[in-house]
Amino acid sequence: MELVVRDLGVARGGVPVLDGVGFALAPGRALVLRGPNGVGKTTLLRTVAGLQPALAGTISGGGERIAYAGHSDGLKAMLSVRENLTFWAQVFGQSDIAPAIQGFGLTGLEDRMAGTLSAGQKRRLGLARLGVTGRPVWVLDEPTVSLDTASVALFAQAVRQHLASGGSALMATHIDLGLDEAEVLDLTPFRAKPRAAVQDEAFL
Amino acid sequence: MIALLKRDMALAVRAGGGFGLGLAFFLIVVTLVPFGIGPESDLLSRVAAGVLWIGALLACLLSLDRIFALDWEDGTLDLLATSPLPLEGAVTVKALAHWLTTALPLVLVSPALGLLLNLPAGGYLWVPVSLALGTPALSVIGTFGAALTVGLKRGGLLLSLLVLPLYVPTLIFGAEVARRGVDGLELQAPLLMLAGISFGTLALLPFASAAVLRVNLR
């Protein structure tokens, strides 16, 4: 089942930012969203993840199949790495966290409090959470922030493995991950036209 | 859901979790009252039940803004909203965790604090019973208030202003049960009203809390 987005319009803070976005994401494929700051990448991803309603258009194949990872990792500083991951695994009805810990190079850190990890390690833990959701469509917002080159390679490897097992990934990133399966979608042409009426109202 | 409850309980008792804060506040409020109104034991025993109720209510209020604020800041709330857990369930579990970590200790310690206020004999049973029956409503209503103000800077004060008026019916009937218990009067009517308020809010408010959370997450 593929994720299909048609004619999607999204708004941030009530102001339309994107209009008429459409794409299809088949299993085993990745789609990288590009565009300058403020174009609406995060807003689009949050809409696809179901965190906010769309202004227009349809999204099919999303909902319960999506694992979302935003700017913040959703980690608790006073829980250990293992406790953090186990919690999310239980929420998503999974039990095995070992592959996620190995896949993101967290071996040996299991009993450290998440609050004592470095920024890059926290990010890796946040991404490892995707592995314990068991969901096929990863929606990732700037997943490589604060990762070093080696960790980016680890992450690319994890994405590749996920794609190979029939999953798909939709991500906003500025770094080239070297994924053969990835297509690039530039969001700049989909910018919503500023509506004159909105500005007029503001001046009244 | 059990995982969420266990996590919230674990977070509450670890460093910075705020467990015991409400308890200490309750203790201090109750010990301040005799200083404020004087040491006459007759006067104290007359107001004891009401003071215990108001103290417990304020202590409950103290930790409400933590219910969602921390999860909002670190992004957990976004992830929970996209998880298979229904948000209504998550909200109920969070209210339950608040009750277990904040309100239940208050219920258990209230007879001991009753001693400080010269609580009459009947109160040692009925104050804890009325608190045990009424505090779930305080937690659930507070969770609703916390959901309304999540994401607001300095939302704590606004939260108090929103929630305190909603606490009035619970306080009226809870304190009435305790007072009648102290005086040895018939107390079935206020007891049933108190139970009704608790079960009613528990049944209805999680839906409202989940709905406002969804709006606030946009």
Side-chain angles (χ1 to χ4, degrees):
Chain A
M1 195 172 161
E2 58 180 10
L3 175 74
V4 183
V5 168
R6 274 197 207 94
D7 248 352
L8 190 68
V10 299
R12 184 181 49 231
V15 181
V17 285
L18 287 171
D19 204 10
V21 183
F23 57 82
L25 185 61
R29 307 293 298 176
L31 183 65
V32 176
L33 302 177
R34 291 270 158 82
N37 290 151
V39 77
K41 298 186 291 293
T42 297
T43 314
L44 177 65
L45 291 176
R46 287 179 67 87
T47 310
V48 170
L51 284 168
Q52 61 176 68
L55 271 188
T58 56
I59 303 164
S60 64
E64 291 277 289
R65 299 172 66 242
I66 285 178
Y68 172 75
H71 290 280
S72 10
D73 294 314
L75 302 175
K76 289 296 170 193
M78 291 313 294
L79 293 181
S80 71
V81 169
R82 192 197 309 277
E83 285 169 321
N84 267 301
L85 270 186
T86 309
F87 166 67
W88 286 112
Q90 285 171 340
V91 165
F92 283 89
Q94 308 281 316
S95 53
D96 196 9
I97 62 163
I101 285 189
Q102 278 162 14
F104 284 90
L106 294 166
T107 315
L109 298 172
E110 291 99 325
D111 294 317
R112 283 266 293 275
M113 289 291 152
T116 65
L117 298 178
S118 78
Q121 287 169 332
K122 276 183 196 156
R123 192 71 207 171
R124 279 188 347 237
L125 176 54
L127 292 170
R129 188 188 57 83
L130 292 166
V132 302
T133 59
R135 289 193 163 178
V137 184
W138 288 2
V139 173
L140 312 171
D141 196 358
E142 301 283 3
T144 53
V145 169
S146 65
L147 290 183
D148 59 14
T149 330
S151 305
V152 169
L154 265 181
F155 167 65
Q157 185 54 38
V159 172
R160 234 174 256 128
Q161 221 169 41
H162 177 64
L163 298 182
S165 64
S168 52
L170 174 65
M171 57 183 115
T173 174
H174 296 288
I175 294 183
D176 188 14
L177 291 172
L179 294 170
D180 302 329
E181 300 89 343
E183 292 159 50
V184 174
L185 178 68
D186 191 350
L187 289 176
T188 320
F190 297 107
R191 266 196 177 140
K193 297 183 181 50
R195 288 189 303 188
V198 173
Q199 284 176 346
D200 285 347
E201 266 174 43
F203 280 108
L204 282 175
Chain B
M1 297 235 226
I2 293 169
L4 182 60
L5 181 64
K6 282 204 313 220
R7 188 202 68 149
D8 270 17
M9 303 282 288
L11 284 172
V13 296
R14 290 197 184 167
F19 180 77
L21 217 63
L23 208 56
F25 181 80
F26 190 33
L27 175 70
I28 289 170
V29 167
V30 169
T31 44
L32 282 182
V33 168
F35 293 124
I37 65 175
E40 297 154 59
S41 50
D42 283 356
L43 186 60
L44 275 178
S45 62
R46 250 191 298 149
V47 298
V51 166
L52 285 172
W53 249 94
I54 292 176
L57 187 144
L58 292 177
C60 261
L61 194 69
L62 207 60
S63 51
L64 284 181
D65 64 329
R66 304 181 64 93
I67 296 181
F68 292 120
L70 301 178
D71 279 350
W72 160 272
E73 277 163 22
D74 62 19
T76 307
L77 218 47
D78 279 350
L79 304 178
L80 271 180
T82 56
S83 80
L85 272 188
L87 209 49
E88 289 80 4
V91 166
T92 314
V93 168
K94 289 209 149 269
L96 177 62
H98 177 264
W99 186 75
L100 287 173
T101 54
T102 305
L104 188 59
L106 302 180
V107 174
L108 297 178
V109 80
S110 61
L113 295 187
L115 276 178
L116 296 177
L117 295 173
N118 196 22
L119 186 68
Y124 292 96
L125 172 65
W126 288 107
V127 167
V129 165
S130 63
L131 279 175
L133 206 55
T135 43
L138 302 185
S139 288
V140 174
I141 295 171
T143 307
F144 174 62
L148 273 175
T149 53
V150 75
L152 290 180
K153 298 258 182 288
R154 314 259 186 289
L157 188 60
L158 180 62
L159 171 61
S160 311
L161 293 178
L162 283 172
V163 160
L164 277 175
L166 298 176
Y167 275 180
V168 169
T170 320
L171 176 64
I172 290 175
F173 288 107
E176 184 67 14
V177 169
R179 199 162 41 240
R180 292 195 183 191
V182 167
D183 296 342
L185 300 172
E186 159 70 38
L187 45 66
Q188 195 189 11
L191 195 66
L192 289 178
M193 281 304 289
L194 185 64
I197 290 170
S198 273
F199 288 122
T201 53
L202 189 57
L204 295 175
L205 273 184
F207 294 98
S209 308
V212 293
L213 261 192
R214 283 200 188 92
V215 172
N216 273 336
L217 281 178
R218 280 179 193 171

